[in-house]
């Protein structure tokens, strides 16, 4: 029997505002516990919510980047549940009328090629605090710094069919949200959090099976692992004639297993109703248009443009546009005069390594462009240019000056080359004889010897004609 896995993801993203969703307490990470609190965060009687315009703006831009329709009117609603890290006893969220609905993104599925994943909705809400179970022996501590931080919750359609597709969706989602400037999207810091809804059905069955929701996923790799184990667990149960219970399960990264946490709550359990302290959120359609118009160029468009405008292979265009700062650096280098293909090679082979480690660009686009120019006009070899690059990182000297100082400027002058060539020919009489006897491939060996003799300074393109001439 073949089974098909069905996956829908719920993603919470903290919006990168200065202050919280409904009050002026700071939205910041890594501060001492309970220092970012005010009467509203604590749920003190009489403290009223005031929506954060910047959070609304970022949520709107996130929705537009995901191709959603942003609604001119949406409603904040109270979602009730009791937990120590939720002082008010309810969370302000959006329920029946969310900020945005009906988006879609296109991913590359390893199994199905390019497919569209529907984005059901994006709504705004406030985060809960954090319960810390490992601070005090036998007790739970509560940190309310996170309570009230603005979140966008992004719910996907159950459109994914494998763990790899879920990963591709998450990777793209994060890329879009970072591009749109709405969140840093770090799973490590908890600014991006994922719950995976998983079910299985017999291949060809038009109906979905009962799903479980898996929580506690702290990396993309664990999202994949959790989906795989949940899929296997459900299939095993069904094949033994059992049935799946709709429930919330926790993934344990150490054991790689999921375990039941609670049976699934229904929305009526939360007793949602419109928050009487907040009027409907009304957005001017012209303002929404303006947000759409001022979105940066998004990855897919940038990728296509890099391929067509700069003539780059698709794979290079994709890698260069993974992160906006890298794409920007590449284009600045081209603007400064570097040939695009060579600039792309430099960024991919050299610049990216440092950027991935440190998030910085130690050499300016202008200086890299100058170096690329030196290789192009044959002043230095590509190999020697790597040595020059290393110096560019630590000095302010011009690339040409560094090449001179290090004695890396290539010799293409026939006189100087001729001397080395003569010496090499004299030192290898048998190779010369064999070459003359028809083993023309030996030219490569001889060029290599000349390069060696020159200490790498000979311009290999200029060596060959001189050799040919002398061997004639
Ligand atoms: P609930 O009412 O249980 O919250 P929703 O319909 O709101 O369920 O969907 C929540 C998430 O679960 C969405 O991401 C959705 O795509 C996903 N989902 C819904 N049904 C299934 C299913 N049968 N299998 C896998 N995922 C599903
Ligand atoms: Mg739901």
């Amino acid at each position: 029997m073949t089974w098909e896995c069905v996956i829908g993801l719920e993603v919470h993203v903290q919006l990168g505002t200065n202050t919280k969703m409904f009050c002026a307490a700071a939205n910041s990470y890594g501060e001492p516990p309970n220092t970012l609190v005010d009467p509203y965060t604590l749920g003190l009687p009489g403290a009223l919510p005031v929506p954060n315009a910047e959070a609304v703006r970022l949520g709107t831009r996130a929705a537009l980047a995901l191709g959603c329709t942003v609604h001119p009117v949406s409603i904040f609603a109270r979602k009730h549940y009791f937990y120590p890290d939720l002082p008010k006893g309810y969370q302000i969220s959006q329920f029946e009328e969310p900020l945005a609905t009906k988006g879609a993104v296109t991913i590359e599925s390893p199994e199905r090629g390019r497919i569209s994943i529907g984005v059901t909705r994006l709504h705004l809400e406030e985060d809960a605090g954090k319960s810390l179970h490992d601070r005090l022996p036998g007790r739970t501590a509560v940190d309310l710094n996170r309570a009230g931080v603005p979140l966008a919750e992004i719910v996907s359609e159950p459109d994914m069919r494998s763990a790899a597709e879920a990963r591709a969706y998450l990777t793209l989602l994060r890329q879009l949200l970072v591009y749109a400037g709405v969140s840093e999207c770090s799973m490590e810091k908890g600014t991006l959090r994922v719950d995976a809804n998983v079910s299985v059905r017999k291949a060809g069955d038009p109906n979905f099976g009962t799903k479980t929701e898996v929580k506690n996923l702290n990396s993309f790799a664990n999202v994949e692992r959790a989906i795989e184990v949940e899929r296997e667990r459900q299939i095993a149960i069904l094949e033994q004639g059992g049935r799946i219970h709709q429930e919330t399960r926790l993934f344990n990264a150490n054991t790689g297993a999921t375990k039941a946490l609670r049976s699934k709550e229904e929305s009526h359990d939360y007793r949602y109703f419109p928050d009487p302290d907040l009027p409907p959120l009304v957005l001017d359609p012209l303002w929404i248009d303006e947000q759409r118009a001022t979105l940066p160029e998004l990855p897919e468009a940038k990728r296509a443009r890099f391929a067509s405008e700069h003539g780059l292979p698709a794979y290079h265009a994709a890698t260069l546009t993974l992160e906006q700062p890298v794409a920007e650096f590449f284009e600045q280098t081209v603007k400064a005069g570097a040939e695009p293909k060579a600039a792309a090679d430099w960024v991919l082979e050299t610049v990216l390594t440092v950027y991935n480690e440190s998030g910085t660009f130690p050499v300016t686009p202008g200086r890299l462009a100058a170096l690329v120019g030196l290789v192009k006009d044959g002043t230095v070899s590509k190999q020697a240019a790597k040595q020059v690059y290393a110096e560019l990182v630590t000095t302010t000297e011009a690339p040409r000056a560094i090449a001179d100082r290090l004695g890396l400027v290539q010799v293409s002058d026939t006189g100087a080359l001729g001397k080395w060539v003569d010496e090499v020919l004299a030192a290898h009489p048998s190779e010369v004889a064999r070459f003359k006897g028809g083993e023309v491939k030996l030219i490569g060996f001889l060029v290599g010897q000349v390069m060696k003799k020159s200490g790498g300074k000979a311009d290999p393109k200029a060596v060959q004609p001189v050799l040919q001439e002398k061997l004639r």
Side-chain angles (χ1 to χ4, degrees), residues 34 41 81 83-87 126-132 141-149 193:
N34 298 308
T41 307
Y81 62 93
Y83 211 70
D85 56 28
L86 190 71
E126 53 181 351
D127 212 341
K130 232 182 202 164
S131 293
L132 307 164
V142 173
D143 178 4
L144 295 177
N145 282 354
R146 204 181 68 181
V149 162
R193 304 195 292 270

Side-chain angles (χ1 to χ4, degrees), residues 2 15 17 37 57 65 94 125 144 176 215 218 256-257 269 297 330 332 393 411 421:
T2 55
L15 301 172
T17 55
V37 295
R57 192 181 75 91
Q94 296 187 305
E125 59 186 29
L144 295 177
L176 285 168
K215 291 187 178 287
N218 62 3
D269 294 330
E297 183 181 33
F330 163 74
Q332 290 293 334
V393 173
V411 178
V421 168

Side-chain angles (χ1 to χ4, degrees), residues 6-10 155-158 197-199 208-211 246 264:
V6 173
I7 303 148
L9 298 178
E10 292 167 282
V155 182
S156 86
E157 289 291 305
N197 296 274
V198 182
S199 66
F208 288 144
T210 302
K211 72 174 158 67
Q246 180 150 327
K264 170 71 185 169

Side-chain angles (χ1 to χ4, degrees), residues 425 428-443 446 467-472:
L425 296 184
H428 296 93
S430 68
E431 280 83 2
V432 171
R434 279 162 59 201
F435 177 87
K436 289 186 171 159
E439 278 187 62
V440 290
K441 271 199 242 148
L442 278 167
I443 192 80
L446 295 168
L467 260 173
Q468 297 279 19
E469 175 66 32
K470 301 227 179 220
L471 282 166
R472 226 168 346 115

Side-chain angles (χ1 to χ4, degrees), residues 350-369:
T350 309
V351 177
L352 212 47
T353 323
V354 177
Y355 176 79
N356 286 339
E357 278 165 15
S358 65
T360 61
F361 299 100
V363 173
T364 62
R367 279 153 67 73
L368 179 58

